[in-house]
Amino acid sequence: MSFNIREAVMDLERHAAEQGWDQPIRVYALVPTTDLVEREPALAEMLGLGEDVAAEDLTPIEQEPLPSGMAVEEALGRMAWPEAVTGCALVMERLVVQGSDETLAPPEGSDSGKWAQEQPGTQEVRMIAGVLRDGGRHSALRMRQYDSEDQVLNGEDLVPALTSALALTLEDDEAENG
């Protein structure tokens, strides 16, 4: 079965755009919509899902917020998903500093966020990344400066470090330890 990870990511991108900027990081479980309709009919009805859903459709289910004060990489490193979850996705905003031939780094001891905002060419970007247990992945990027649906970049692996970190949350620990 091949699930439509692209459509799930783009739906999350549109949902995030409706919510506006300056939102916290959000994590979603991706479950087959047909399974959701079968196992949770009341929830499916509340979401407006009928019996006639496509077999490849995925439904994102928002999870609890990540622990405050914990780096996203560390939070993802502690995450694991039950078997019923086919994939996962993450929505987050970041500042991107336009680089040059040299590596840009804030002065030691300074507030890196404030420093980044003050740099010329700094862009705010919203990243949506989704991965599936079968290896499928898709990402979308929206820059605040170009905040319209026709300016959203999307592709299989626009943010490889993020999709790789998400993929690790789907790995079966027993297979690694057994």
Side-chain angles (χ1 to χ4, degrees):
M1 164 67 59
S2 180
F3 290 102
N4 195 340
I5 185 66
R6 182 190 184 282
E7 193 57 38
V9 165
M10 297 310 290
D11 283 347
L12 284 170
E13 196 291 320
R14 288 186 284 276
H15 177 72
E18 290 170 5
Q19 307 242 322
W21 288 88
D22 304 317
Q23 298 295 315
I25 294 173
R26 292 197 163 95
V27 178
Y28 297 85
L30 299 176
V31 297
T33 304
T34 53
D35 289 358
L36 181 67
V37 169
E38 183 180 309
R39 293 180 185 165
E40 302 286 343
L43 176 60
E45 186 177 335
M46 189 174 82
L47 295 172
L49 301 172
E51 300 276 329
D52 59 343
V53 298
E56 66 274 2
D57 286 353
L58 293 164
T59 298
I61 300 172
E62 188 168 355
Q63 302 300 294
E64 293 292 321
L66 295 179
S68 62
M70 183 181 292
V72 68
E73 298 84 2
E74 184 178 347
L76 290 176
R78 297 177 180 201
M79 201 174 288
W81 299 99
E83 190 85 15
V85 173
T86 300
C88 61
L90 182 132
V91 177
M92 69 183 213
E93 297 173 12
R94 286 293 183 256
L95 282 176
V96 177
V97 178
Q98 186 174 346
S100 65
D101 289 342
E102 60 189 61
T103 302
L104 296 174
E108 196 159 325
S110 68
D111 178 337
S112 58
K114 186 173 187 231
W115 174 85
Q117 288 176 328
E118 295 169 350
Q119 299 308 300
T122 297
Q123 300 273 340
E124 287 181 76
V125 64
R126 180 183 302 120
M127 299 177 276
I128 301 89
V131 298
L132 299 176
R133 287 188 191 275
D134 69 7
R137 44 181 74 192
H138 201 82
S139 307
L141 298 172
R142 181 185 292 242
M143 297 175 78
R144 194 169 192 156
Q145 181 178 353
Y146 304 104
D147 193 4
S148 67
E149 193 163 335
D150 67 340
Q151 295 293 313
V152 174
L153 302 172
N154 77 92
E156 188 175 309
D157 216 5
L158 295 177
V159 283
L162 185 54
T163 52
S164 293
L166 284 171
L168 289 174
T169 70
L170 294 168
E171 287 187 359
D172 185 7
D173 284 342
E174 289 179 25
E176 292 174 8
N177 298 329

PDB file of all heavy atoms in Angstrom, residues 7-32:
ATOM      1  N   GLU A   7       0.198  14.652  -0.093  1.00  0.00           N
ATOM      2  CA  GLU A   7      -1.078  15.318   0.202  1.00  0.00           C
ATOM      3  C   GLU A   7      -1.224  15.593   1.690  1.00  0.00           C
ATOM      4  O   GLU A   7      -1.720  16.648   2.093  1.00  0.00           O
ATOM      5  CB  GLU A   7      -2.254  14.481  -0.326  1.00  0.00           C
ATOM      6  CG  GLU A   7      -3.568  15.235  -0.332  1.00  0.00           C
ATOM      7  CD  GLU A   7      -3.543  16.538  -1.140  1.00  0.00           C
ATOM      8  OE1 GLU A   7      -2.909  16.605  -2.209  1.00  0.00           O
ATOM      9  OE2 GLU A   7      -4.165  17.517  -0.673  1.00  0.00           O
ATOM     10  N   ALA A   8      -0.782  14.669   2.540  1.00  0.00           N
ATOM     11  CA  ALA A   8      -0.854  14.889   3.992  1.00  0.00           C
ATOM     12  C   ALA A   8      -0.016  16.097   4.398  1.00  0.00           C
ATOM     13  O   ALA A   8      -0.452  16.946   5.193  1.00  0.00           O
ATOM     14  CB  ALA A   8      -0.396  13.634   4.738  1.00  0.00           C
ATOM     15  N   VAL A   9       1.203  16.212   3.859  1.00  0.00           N
ATOM     16  CA  VAL A   9       2.086  17.335   4.183  1.00  0.00           C
ATOM     17  C   VAL A   9       1.486  18.648   3.675  1.00  0.00           C
ATOM     18  O   VAL A   9       1.482  19.657   4.381  1.00  0.00           O
ATOM     19  CB  VAL A   9       3.506  17.106   3.623  1.00  0.00           C
ATOM     20  CG1 VAL A   9       4.333  18.388   3.629  1.00  0.00           C
ATOM     21  CG2 VAL A   9       4.207  16.011   4.425  1.00  0.00           C
ATOM     22  N   MET A  10       0.962  18.637   2.460  1.00  0.00           N
ATOM     23  CA  MET A  10       0.405  19.869   1.901  1.00  0.00           C
ATOM     24  C   MET A  10      -0.863  20.283   2.648  1.00  0.00           C
ATOM     25  O   MET A  10      -1.126  21.482   2.819  1.00  0.00           O
ATOM     26  CB  MET A  10       0.156  19.725   0.395  1.00  0.00           C
ATOM     27  CG  MET A  10       1.442  19.486  -0.406  1.00  0.00           C
ATOM     28  SD  MET A  10       2.797  20.651  -0.044  1.00  0.00           S
ATOM     29  CE  MET A  10       2.128  22.154  -0.759  1.00  0.00           C
ATOM     30  N   ASP A  11      -1.656  19.323   3.123  1.00  0.00           N
ATOM     31  CA  ASP A  11      -2.820  19.654   3.966  1.00  0.00           C
ATOM     32  C   ASP A  11      -2.363  20.309   5.262  1.00  0.00           C
ATOM     33  O   ASP A  11      -2.966  21.284   5.719  1.00  0.00           O
ATOM     34  CB  ASP A  11      -3.643  18.400   4.289  1.00  0.00           C
ATOM     35  CG  ASP A  11      -4.510  17.942   3.123  1.00  0.00           C
ATOM     36  OD1 ASP A  11      -4.677  18.703   2.142  1.00  0.00           O
ATOM     37  OD2 ASP A  11      -5.012  16.793   3.195  1.00  0.00           O
ATOM     38  N   LEU A  12      -1.303  19.767   5.872  1.00  0.00           N
ATOM     39  CA  LEU A  12      -0.766  20.368   7.096  1.00  0.00           C
ATOM     40  C   LEU A  12      -0.217  21.763   6.818  1.00  0.00           C
ATOM     41  O   LEU A  12      -0.366  22.670   7.646  1.00  0.00           O
ATOM     42  CB  LEU A  12       0.322  19.480   7.704  1.00  0.00           C
ATOM     43  CG  LEU A  12      -0.179  18.249   8.438  1.00  0.00           C
ATOM     44  CD1 LEU A  12       0.981  17.326   8.793  1.00  0.00           C
ATOM     45  CD2 LEU A  12      -0.954  18.645   9.677  1.00  0.00           C
ATOM     46  N   GLU A  13       0.393  21.965   5.650  1.00  0.00           N
ATOM     47  CA  GLU A  13       0.917  23.288   5.294  1.00  0.00           C
ATOM     48  C   GLU A  13      -0.229  24.291   5.198  1.00  0.00           C
ATOM     49  O   GLU A  13      -0.153  25.395   5.735  1.00  0.00           O
ATOM     50  CB  GLU A  13       1.701  23.216   3.971  1.00  0.00           C
ATOM     51  CG  GLU A  13       2.597  24.412   3.708  1.00  0.00           C
ATOM     52  CD  GLU A  13       1.880  25.712   3.420  1.00  0.00           C
ATOM     53  OE1 GLU A  13       0.853  25.692   2.701  1.00  0.00           O
ATOM     54  OE2 GLU A  13       2.328  26.775   3.899  1.00  0.00           O
ATOM     55  N   ARG A  14      -1.311  23.911   4.538  1.00  0.00           N
ATOM     56  CA  ARG A  14      -2.470  24.812   4.416  1.00  0.00           C
ATOM     57  C   ARG A  14      -3.079  25.098   5.777  1.00  0.00           C
ATOM     58  O   ARG A  14      -3.452  26.227   6.082  1.00  0.00           O
ATOM     59  CB  ARG A  14      -3.504  24.215   3.454  1.00  0.00           C
ATOM     60  CG  ARG A  14      -3.059  24.272   1.991  1.00  0.00           C
ATOM     61  CD  ARG A  14      -4.158  23.806   1.039  1.00  0.00           C
ATOM     62  NE  ARG A  14      -4.333  22.367   1.028  1.00  0.00           N
ATOM     63  CZ  ARG A  14      -3.596  21.526   0.296  1.00  0.00           C
ATOM     64  NH1 ARG A  14      -2.647  21.980  -0.491  1.00  0.00           N
ATOM     65  NH2 ARG A  14      -3.828  20.232   0.347  1.00  0.00           N
ATOM     66  N   HIS A  15      -3.154  24.072   6.626  1.00  0.00           N
ATOM     67  CA  HIS A  15      -3.693  24.252   7.982  1.00  0.00           C
ATOM     68  C   HIS A  15      -2.815  25.217   8.788  1.00  0.00           C
ATOM     69  O   HIS A  15      -3.321  26.112   9.466  1.00  0.00           O
ATOM     70  CB  HIS A  15      -3.789  22.893   8.677  1.00  0.00           C
ATOM     71  CG  HIS A  15      -4.256  22.960  10.087  1.00  0.00           C
ATOM     72  ND1 HIS A  15      -5.560  23.258  10.422  1.00  0.00           N
ATOM     73  CD2 HIS A  15      -3.594  22.789  11.255  1.00  0.00           C
ATOM     74  CE1 HIS A  15      -5.672  23.269  11.745  1.00  0.00           C
ATOM     75  NE2 HIS A  15      -4.494  22.983  12.265  1.00  0.00           N
ATOM     76  N   ALA A  16      -1.499  25.047   8.700  1.00  0.00           N
ATOM     77  CA  ALA A  16      -0.578  25.933   9.417  1.00  0.00           C
ATOM     78  C   ALA A  16      -0.703  27.366   8.903  1.00  0.00           C
ATOM     79  O   ALA A  16      -0.659  28.323   9.686  1.00  0.00           O
ATOM     80  CB  ALA A  16       0.862  25.432   9.273  1.00  0.00           C
ATOM     81  N   ALA A  17      -0.871  27.530   7.595  1.00  0.00           N
ATOM     82  CA  ALA A  17      -1.013  28.869   7.013  1.00  0.00           C
ATOM     83  C   ALA A  17      -2.276  29.556   7.543  1.00  0.00           C
ATOM     84  O   ALA A  17      -2.268  30.754   7.826  1.00  0.00           O
ATOM     85  CB  ALA A  17      -1.036  28.786   5.490  1.00  0.00           C
ATOM     86  N   GLU A  18      -3.347  28.790   7.710  1.00  0.00           N
ATOM     87  CA  GLU A  18      -4.591  29.346   8.261  1.00  0.00           C
ATOM     88  C   GLU A  18      -4.396  29.828   9.696  1.00  0.00           C
ATOM     89  O   GLU A  18      -5.023  30.790  10.125  1.00  0.00           O
ATOM     90  CB  GLU A  18      -5.711  28.306   8.218  1.00  0.00           C
ATOM     91  CG  GLU A  18      -6.210  27.990   6.830  1.00  0.00           C
ATOM     92  CD  GLU A  18      -7.153  26.788   6.803  1.00  0.00           C
ATOM     93  OE1 GLU A  18      -7.501  26.254   7.886  1.00  0.00           O
ATOM     94  OE2 GLU A  18      -7.527  26.375   5.695  1.00  0.00           O
ATOM     95  N   GLN A  19      -3.527  29.163  10.436  1.00  0.00           N
ATOM     96  CA  GLN A  19      -3.269  29.505  11.836  1.00  0.00           C
ATOM     97  C   GLN A  19      -2.383  30.740  11.982  1.00  0.00           C
ATOM     98  O   GLN A  19      -2.323  31.318  13.040  1.00  0.00           O
ATOM     99  CB  GLN A  19      -2.607  28.329  12.545  1.00  0.00           C
ATOM    100  CG  GLN A  19      -3.372  27.045  12.404  1.00  0.00           C
ATOM    101  CD  GLN A  19      -3.838  26.517  13.729  1.00  0.00           C
ATOM    102  OE1 GLN A  19      -3.127  26.614  14.698  1.00  0.00           O
ATOM    103  NE2 GLN A  19      -5.033  25.994  13.744  1.00  0.00           N
ATOM    104  N   GLY A  20      -1.678  31.098  10.919  1.00  0.00           N
ATOM    105  CA  GLY A  20      -0.804  32.259  10.950  1.00  0.00           C
ATOM    106  C   GLY A  20       0.585  31.921  11.462  1.00  0.00           C
ATOM    107  O   GLY A  20       0.901  30.776  11.775  1.00  0.00           O
ATOM    108  N   TRP A  21       1.407  32.946  11.543  1.00  0.00           N
ATOM    109  CA  TRP A  21       2.801  32.781  11.947  1.00  0.00           C
ATOM    110  C   TRP A  21       2.944  32.823  13.455  1.00  0.00           C
ATOM    111  O   TRP A  21       1.992  33.108  14.173  1.00  0.00           O
ATOM    112  CB  TRP A  21       3.654  33.864  11.288  1.00  0.00           C
ATOM    113  CG  TRP A  21       3.799  33.615   9.824  1.00  0.00           C
ATOM    114  CD1 TRP A  21       2.964  34.040   8.828  1.00  0.00           C
ATOM    115  CD2 TRP A  21       4.810  32.840   9.183  1.00  0.00           C
ATOM    116  NE1 TRP A  21       3.401  33.571   7.618  1.00  0.00           N
ATOM    117  CE2 TRP A  21       4.530  32.849   7.799  1.00  0.00           C
ATOM    118  CE3 TRP A  21       5.922  32.148   9.639  1.00  0.00           C
ATOM    119  CZ2 TRP A  21       5.329  32.188   6.867  1.00  0.00           C
ATOM    120  CZ3 TRP A  21       6.716  31.500   8.715  1.00  0.00           C
ATOM    121  CH2 TRP A  21       6.422  31.517   7.349  1.00  0.00           C
ATOM    122  N   ASP A  22       4.174  32.569  13.910  1.00  0.00           N
ATOM    123  CA  ASP A  22       4.538  32.607  15.331  1.00  0.00           C
ATOM    124  C   ASP A  22       3.807  31.544  16.141  1.00  0.00           C
ATOM    125  O   ASP A  22       3.349  31.787  17.250  1.00  0.00           O
ATOM    126  CB  ASP A  22       4.307  34.012  15.913  1.00  0.00           C
ATOM    127  CG  ASP A  22       5.054  35.075  15.126  1.00  0.00           C
ATOM    128  OD1 ASP A  22       6.230  34.829  14.772  1.00  0.00           O
ATOM    129  OD2 ASP A  22       4.469  36.135  14.845  1.00  0.00           O
ATOM    130  N   GLN A  23       3.717  30.358  15.566  1.00  0.00           N
ATOM    131  CA  GLN A  23       3.072  29.218  16.220  1.00  0.00           C
ATOM    132  C   GLN A  23       4.134  28.296  16.821  1.00  0.00           C
ATOM    133  O   GLN A  23       5.260  28.246  16.338  1.00  0.00           O
ATOM    134  CB  GLN A  23       2.228  28.439  15.205  1.00  0.00           C
ATOM    135  CG  GLN A  23       1.101  29.230  14.589  1.00  0.00           C
ATOM    136  CD  GLN A  23       0.052  29.617  15.606  1.00  0.00           C
ATOM    137  OE1 GLN A  23      -0.361  28.814  16.422  1.00  0.00           O
ATOM    138  NE2 GLN A  23      -0.359  30.881  15.566  1.00  0.00           N
ATOM    139  N   PRO A  24       3.758  27.547  17.842  1.00  0.00           N
ATOM    140  CA  PRO A  24       4.712  26.581  18.409  1.00  0.00           C
ATOM    141  C   PRO A  24       4.915  25.397  17.455  1.00  0.00           C
ATOM    142  O   PRO A  24       4.143  25.198  16.520  1.00  0.00           O
ATOM    143  CB  PRO A  24       4.010  26.119  19.688  1.00  0.00           C
ATOM    144  CG  PRO A  24       2.551  26.321  19.413  1.00  0.00           C
ATOM    145  CD  PRO A  24       2.472  27.542  18.513  1.00  0.00           C
ATOM    146  N   ILE A  25       5.933  24.616  17.740  1.00  0.00           N
ATOM    147  CA  ILE A  25       6.176  23.385  16.987  1.00  0.00           C
ATOM    148  C   ILE A  25       5.004  22.443  17.223  1.00  0.00           C
ATOM    149  O   ILE A  25       4.517  22.307  18.351  1.00  0.00           O
ATOM    150  CB  ILE A  25       7.492  22.726  17.451  1.00  0.00           C
ATOM    151  CG1 ILE A  25       8.674  23.622  17.094  1.00  0.00           C
ATOM    152  CG2 ILE A  25       7.649  21.336  16.835  1.00  0.00           C
ATOM    153  CD1 ILE A  25       9.992  23.137  17.657  1.00  0.00           C
ATOM    154  N   ARG A  26       4.572  21.807  16.157  1.00  0.00           N
ATOM    155  CA  ARG A  26       3.474  20.844  16.264  1.00  0.00           C
ATOM    156  C   ARG A  26       3.915  19.515  15.667  1.00  0.00           C
ATOM    157  O   ARG A  26       4.568  19.477  14.624  1.00  0.00           O
ATOM    158  CB  ARG A  26       2.246  21.362  15.539  1.00  0.00           C
ATOM    159  CG  ARG A  26       1.637  22.572  16.226  1.00  0.00           C
ATOM    160  CD  ARG A  26       0.220  22.804  15.744  1.00  0.00           C
ATOM    161  NE  ARG A  26      -0.476  23.679  16.657  1.00  0.00           N
ATOM    162  CZ  ARG A  26      -0.570  24.998  16.497  1.00  0.00           C
ATOM    163  NH1 ARG A  26      -0.005  25.573  15.470  1.00  0.00           N
ATOM    164  NH2 ARG A  26      -1.237  25.722  17.370  1.00  0.00           N
ATOM    165  N   VAL A  27       3.532  18.433  16.337  1.00  0.00           N
ATOM    166  CA  VAL A  27       3.865  17.080  15.890  1.00  0.00           C
ATOM    167  C   VAL A  27       2.552  16.336  15.631  1.00  0.00           C
ATOM    168  O   VAL A  27       1.594  16.472  16.395  1.00  0.00           O
ATOM    169  CB  VAL A  27       4.692  16.335  16.964  1.00  0.00           C
ATOM    170  CG1 VAL A  27       4.988  14.909  16.528  1.00  0.00           C
ATOM    171  CG2 VAL A  27       5.982  17.080  17.252  1.00  0.00           C
ATOM    172  N   TYR A  28       2.549  15.549  14.564  1.00  0.00           N
ATOM    173  CA  TYR A  28       1.347  14.816  14.169  1.00  0.00           C
ATOM    174  C   TYR A  28       1.668  13.353  13.915  1.00  0.00           C
ATOM    175  O   TYR A  28       2.691  13.034  13.308  1.00  0.00           O
ATOM    176  CB  TYR A  28       0.768  15.387  12.867  1.00  0.00           C
ATOM    177  CG  TYR A  28       0.314  16.818  12.983  1.00  0.00           C
ATOM    178  CD1 TYR A  28       1.221  17.860  12.821  1.00  0.00           C
ATOM    179  CD2 TYR A  28      -1.017  17.124  13.253  1.00  0.00           C
ATOM    180  CE1 TYR A  28       0.803  19.177  12.926  1.00  0.00           C
ATOM    181  CE2 TYR A  28      -1.431  18.442  13.368  1.00  0.00           C
ATOM    182  CZ  TYR A  28      -0.515  19.463  13.198  1.00  0.00           C
ATOM    183  OH  TYR A  28      -0.926  20.770  13.323  1.00  0.00           O
ATOM    184  N   ALA A  29       0.772  12.487  14.359  1.00  0.00           N
ATOM    185  CA  ALA A  29       0.799  11.088  13.935  1.00  0.00           C
ATOM    186  C   ALA A  29       0.040  11.040  12.616  1.00  0.00           C
ATOM    187  O   ALA A  29      -0.958  11.751  12.446  1.00  0.00           O
ATOM    188  CB  ALA A  29       0.097  10.209  14.971  1.00  0.00           C
ATOM    189  N   LEU A  30       0.510  10.252  11.677  1.00  0.00           N
ATOM    190  CA  LEU A  30      -0.191  10.060  10.409  1.00  0.00           C
ATOM    191  C   LEU A  30      -0.751   8.643  10.398  1.00  0.00           C
ATOM    192  O   LEU A  30       0.006   7.674  10.499  1.00  0.00           O
ATOM    193  CB  LEU A  30       0.752  10.273   9.226  1.00  0.00           C
ATOM    194  CG  LEU A  30       1.388  11.662   9.112  1.00  0.00           C
ATOM    195  CD1 LEU A  30       2.384  11.702   7.954  1.00  0.00           C
ATOM    196  CD2 LEU A  30       0.336  12.737   8.965  1.00  0.00           C
ATOM    197  N   VAL A  31      -2.068   8.554  10.316  1.00  0.00           N
ATOM    198  CA  VAL A  31      -2.718   7.238  10.332  1.00  0.00           C
ATOM    199  C   VAL A  31      -3.541   7.069   9.054  1.00  0.00           C
ATOM    200  O   VAL A  31      -4.075   8.050   8.519  1.00  0.00           O
ATOM    201  CB  VAL A  31      -3.615   7.051  11.583  1.00  0.00           C
ATOM    202  CG1 VAL A  31      -2.787   7.097  12.854  1.00  0.00           C
ATOM    203  CG2 VAL A  31      -4.714   8.085  11.630  1.00  0.00           C
ATOM    204  N   PRO A  32      -3.650   5.842   8.570  1.00  0.00           N
ATOM    205  CA  PRO A  32      -4.490   5.610   7.396  1.00  0.00           C
ATOM    206  C   PRO A  32      -5.928   6.025   7.708  1.00  0.00           C
ATOM    207  O   PRO A  32      -6.502   5.620   8.728  1.00  0.00           O
ATOM    208  CB  PRO A  32      -4.378   4.101   7.161  1.00  0.00           C
ATOM    209  CG  PRO A  32      -3.086   3.715   7.825  1.00  0.00           C
ATOM    210  CD  PRO A  32      -2.982   4.628   9.015  1.00  0.00           C
TER     211      PRO A  32
END
